[in-house]
Amino acid sequence: MTAPVSSPSAAVPGPEKETPEKVTPEKVTAPEETSVDGRPPGLVLPRPQLRRPRSRTYSLTVRALGPVALLVLWWVSSATGLLTPDVLASPPQVIDAVGELWGNGQLPDALATSLTRSGIGLVIGLAAGLTLGITTGFTRLGDELLDSSLQTLRTIPFLSLVPLFMVWFGINETAKILLIAVATTFPMYVSTVGGVRNTDRKLVEAMRTFGLGRLAIVRQVVLPGALPSLLAGLRLSMTLSVIALIAAEEINATEGIGYLMSQAQSYARTDILAVCILVYGLLGLTADVLVRGLERFLMPWRTAGPGGGAR
């Protein structure tokens, strides 16, 4: 009896079949969107608005619009009869008066005398204000001794000193020059004190550590740091020197622009009065232009850059 033959598949075990692992699909993230210039979307590139530089001609033209408009209004008012010669002379009459005064030499002599008075008084006032301001602002002893007294004197109107100066110095040139000096001292003093006190104290201490003396620190550190305040005080003092000149030349002057005004008032010459007023105005404008030019020379960084066109 033969044994049953088993099937080969049952006799020989075959290799086990590996069941494939279940692969879970990974989460695919989309690449981050970027703009053409590489910035993420939604961000705006800041664009600073820079001021366009203005030409010198354009700036001067804009500055001249106001005076030209006043001149045209004056001319039209005189031509239409709104302003009569006994109230204010017309521009042609004023021009004729300038020619008359310049031709007989009165205007050049008066202008030279007034400029001399104003210049000497201004130099004295600037020197006094600068010295007192440095002393008060840089030293504690000077602050304690001088500041309270000077602040009290500063509140006194310089016009109230005219009668007193006439009693002290008479009606000569000394009273006129000293009145201008007093008027220009205090603006320079206040500006100098403010500029000196705003100087970086750490820088001053560092310079002392390096062995610099007080005078060297004032010359090399304090004054350059206080330069903006000093120029502001110079502008105010120069403007006040013209105002004080008008008051000073009312003290029985025998020459100068104020003398021309008093003579014109006696004879009701409104054309000469207008000339004198315009001369005073031109003196003040010239002083302001000179200080602006000095600012551009000493501090060119204040007019450079985007904000430079504002000055």
Side-chain angles (χ1 to χ4, degrees):
M1 183 173 179
T2 60
V5 180
S6 60
S7 63
S9 59
V12 181
E16 295 182 356
K17 295 182 179 181
E18 295 180 356
T19 58
E21 295 181 358
K22 188 176 182 181
V23 180
T24 58
E26 296 181 358
K27 186 177 181 182
V28 181
T29 58
E32 185 179 357
E33 296 182 0
T34 57
S35 59
V36 178
D37 55 358
R39 291 180 292 104
L43 294 181
V44 180
L45 182 65
R47 296 179 180 178
Q49 296 182 356
L50 301 178
R51 294 184 179 182
R52 296 180 180 179
R54 294 181 176 180
S55 64
R56 187 68 175 171
T57 305
Y58 176 81
S59 179
L60 292 176
T61 303
V62 173
R63 289 180 182 274
L65 287 179
V68 170
L70 290 176
L71 180 60
V72 170
L73 180 61
W74 179 18
W75 203 304
V76 171
S77 300
S78 300
T80 56
L82 293 177
L83 283 178
T84 56
D86 58 336
V87 176
L88 182 62
S90 63
Q93 292 173 332
V94 173
I95 295 174
D96 294 338
V98 171
E100 175 188 348
L101 294 174
W102 195 270
N104 56 26
Q106 292 183 4
L107 185 58
D109 294 341
L111 189 59
T113 302
S114 296
L115 286 177
T116 302
R117 289 170 180 162
S118 179
I120 296 175
L122 178 63
V123 169
I124 296 174
L126 292 179
L130 186 63
T131 304
L132 292 172
I134 293 175
T135 304
T136 303
F138 191 64
T139 63
R140 182 176 300 177
L141 180 60
D143 184 24
E144 295 173 350
L145 287 177
L146 299 175
D147 187 63
S148 58
S149 301
L150 291 173
Q151 293 295 344
T152 303
L153 293 175
R154 185 176 66 88
T155 59
I156 300 175
F158 69 91
L159 292 177
S160 64
L161 300 176
V162 172
L164 190 60
F165 277 24
M166 292 178 65
V167 173
W168 287 352
F169 307 106
I171 57 175
N172 54 15
E173 291 296 313
T174 304
K176 301 177 180 61
I177 292 175
L178 289 181
L179 183 65
I180 298 172
V182 170
T184 56
T185 295
F186 295 108
M188 194 65 190
Y189 167 76
V190 173
S191 299
T192 303
V193 170
V196 170
R197 287 178 177 174
N198 288 332
T199 306
D200 190 357
R201 294 298 173 184
K202 295 181 179 179
L203 184 60
V204 173
E205 293 299 329
M207 293 300 102
R208 285 176 177 168
T209 305
F210 284 110
L212 266 71
R214 283 195 172 185
L215 291 179
I217 292 176
V218 169
R219 185 177 64 253
Q220 300 180 21
V221 178
V222 175
L223 290 181
L227 190 57
S229 298
L230 297 181
L231 291 176
L234 176 62
R235 174 177 292 180
L236 291 174
S237 295
M238 293 184 74
T239 303
L240 272 178
S241 68
V242 179
I243 299 175
L245 175 66
I246 301 174
E249 292 186 334
E250 297 296 326
I251 307 176
N252 293 333
T254 57
E255 52 185 350
I257 302 298
Y259 174 71
L260 285 181
M261 290 190 70
S262 62
Q263 294 295 313
Q265 180 184 1
S266 302
Y267 293 99
R269 292 287 303 271
T270 58
D271 52 350
I272 297 181
L273 287 173
V275 170
C276 296
I277 293 172
L278 290 176
V279 168
Y280 281 130
L282 289 176
L283 289 178
L285 180 61
T286 303
D288 188 73
V289 170
L290 288 177
V291 177
R292 285 178 178 268
L294 192 61
E295 284 181 351
R296 292 190 179 95
F297 176 74
L298 296 177
M299 298 184 297
W301 61 87
R302 297 191 70 183
T303 57
R311 292 193 58 80

